[in-house]
Amino acid sequence: MWPFSRKGPSGFSPSSTAEEVTQGTDGTSLTAIVTGASSGIGTETARVLALRGVHVVMGVRNVAAGKDVKEAIVKEIPTAKVDAMELDLSSMESVRKFASAFSSSGRPLNLLINNAGIMTSPFMLSKDNIELQFATNHIGHFLLTHLLLDTMKKTARASKKEGRIINVSSEAHRYTYKEGIRFDKINDQSGYSSFAAYGQSKLANVLHANELARRLKEDGVDITANSLHPGTIATNLFRHINLGPVAGLVNIFGKIALKNVQQGAATTCYVALHHK
């Protein structure tokens, strides 16, 4: 249970859940893509959006897990409109294939929720030979957004509804390498820090959203772009962190002090569905 419940200007607090912050919203005319929807806050984001009537397309690396999530959502919400499509954000080929398949389907796109991510993994390279955290957390989402932006623009014009692009970043964007994003040393294994590399990728999420928002506004396009920190949440993102003998204590503390998944998805769902 999240112990800090002081309400902010929105009327909600860190203990508010995704269902609570979207109560009374109607998403029946909207279509959303949620990446990384087969686990964690991605699953809860997809579920709550579907609960509010949004047609949710889940971009998932593990298709079998995605189908299980889809079946669970439809079992709970028989009227839910949910699809699962394969998407590996660490592979530009996979991103291009997903974007092409979605565009060819003729579906509109109102909401793009760039949620998928990995955290503090050991040094590895993606299929495209890019440091894995930067490739997955930033490059894949950057490319996906670029490839789907025309569809979002067409949808915004046709529906006269504001489109929304949401990058799920992290407070860790403040704790990257001392020089910020090491563009000339992305693949430098000798100076690699798993946490700084994670922060670097999350800083890229923030800068991407900021610059995209500026350009969209400058062009008079009715689409917003935002990045957000969902809070510190007890999910499998922490699987690469070796806590050694204190793991048990951290697990107990986490249940008390960390957000649960229902709370962790709240900010994303609020930004996606709430009125201006």
Side-chain angles (χ1 to χ4, degrees):
M1 178 65 182
W2 183 255
F4 309 112
S5 56
R6 178 182 294 178
K7 292 182 178 180
S10 66
F12 300 107
S13 75
S15 64
S16 298
T17 66
E19 283 198 32
E20 290 169 347
V21 304
T22 58
Q23 188 68 42
T25 61
D26 181 7
T28 51
S29 62
L30 305 177
T31 300
I33 288 174
V34 181
T35 70
S38 62
S39 65
I41 63 173
T43 294
E44 181 66 0
T45 298
R47 186 189 73 83
V48 172
L49 293 183
L51 180 66
R52 304 304 176 211
V54 179
H55 181 177
V56 179
V57 178
M58 304 187 303
V60 295
R61 184 172 57 85
N62 185 328
V63 177
K67 288 180 179 178
D68 288 344
V69 170
K70 173 184 175 179
E71 290 173 4
I73 292 174
V74 173
K75 183 177 180 180
E76 177 192 346
I77 311 162
T79 58
K81 294 171 287 184
V82 183
D83 294 300
M85 294 174 60
E86 184 173 5
L87 174 61
D88 180 354
L89 271 302
S90 71
S91 163
M92 286 189 274
E93 179 183 7
S94 178
V95 172
R96 292 183 185 280
K97 184 177 179 181
F98 175 92
S100 176
F102 183 88
S103 298
S104 298
S105 73
R107 294 188 184 105
L109 182 58
N110 306 91
L111 310 171
L112 175 57
I113 300 176
N114 293 321
N115 165 81
I118 58 173
M119 179 180 178
T120 62
S121 62
F123 182 84
M124 290 182 277
L125 295 178
S126 71
K127 295 176 182 177
D128 304 293
N129 290 316
I130 302 169
E131 188 276 311
L132 192 61
Q133 292 191 82
F134 200 75
T136 304
N137 298 350
H138 172 60
I139 296 294
H141 283 128
F142 181 94
L143 178 60
L144 181 67
T145 302
H146 173 72
L147 294 174
L148 294 174
L149 196 53
D150 280 346
T151 298
M152 292 197 71
K153 289 178 178 179
K154 291 175 185 176
T155 301
R157 286 195 297 267
S159 67
K160 302 192 184 313
K161 292 181 183 292
E162 179 186 84
R164 299 184 182 183
I165 297 167
I166 300 168
N167 286 352
V168 178
S169 183
S170 168
E171 187 67 12
H173 81 275
R174 302 181 188 276
Y175 306 104
T176 181
Y177 296 102
K178 63 180 181 180
E179 61 267 52
I181 298 175
R182 307 194 309 172
F183 287 107
D184 58 341
K185 296 181 180 178
I186 293 294
N187 291 351
D188 179 17
Q189 185 174 1
S190 64
Y192 180 76
S193 161
S194 61
F195 190 79
Y198 176 71
Q200 172 178 253
S201 70
K202 295 290 101 178
L203 176 58
N205 291 158
V206 174
L207 297 177
H208 174 215
N210 288 355
E211 178 61 16
L212 185 56
R214 185 190 69 79
R215 294 189 184 196
L216 291 169
K217 184 176 181 179
E218 189 177 83
D219 293 342
V221 178
D222 193 19
I223 299 174
T224 60
N226 289 281
S227 60
L228 61 86
H229 170 52
T232 307
I233 306 152
T235 72
N236 65 1
L237 264 183
F238 293 98
R239 64 188 179 275
H240 291 299
I241 299 177
N242 182 8
L243 299 172
V246 300
L249 289 175
V250 171
N251 186 48
I252 294 170
F253 175 78
K255 291 179 179 178
I256 300 171
L258 302 186
K259 284 187 175 185
N260 60 36
V261 169
Q262 292 74 27
Q263 295 162 340
T267 306
T268 302
C269 291
Y270 180 90
V271 176
L273 292 182
H274 229 269
H275 305 298
K276 294 182 181 179

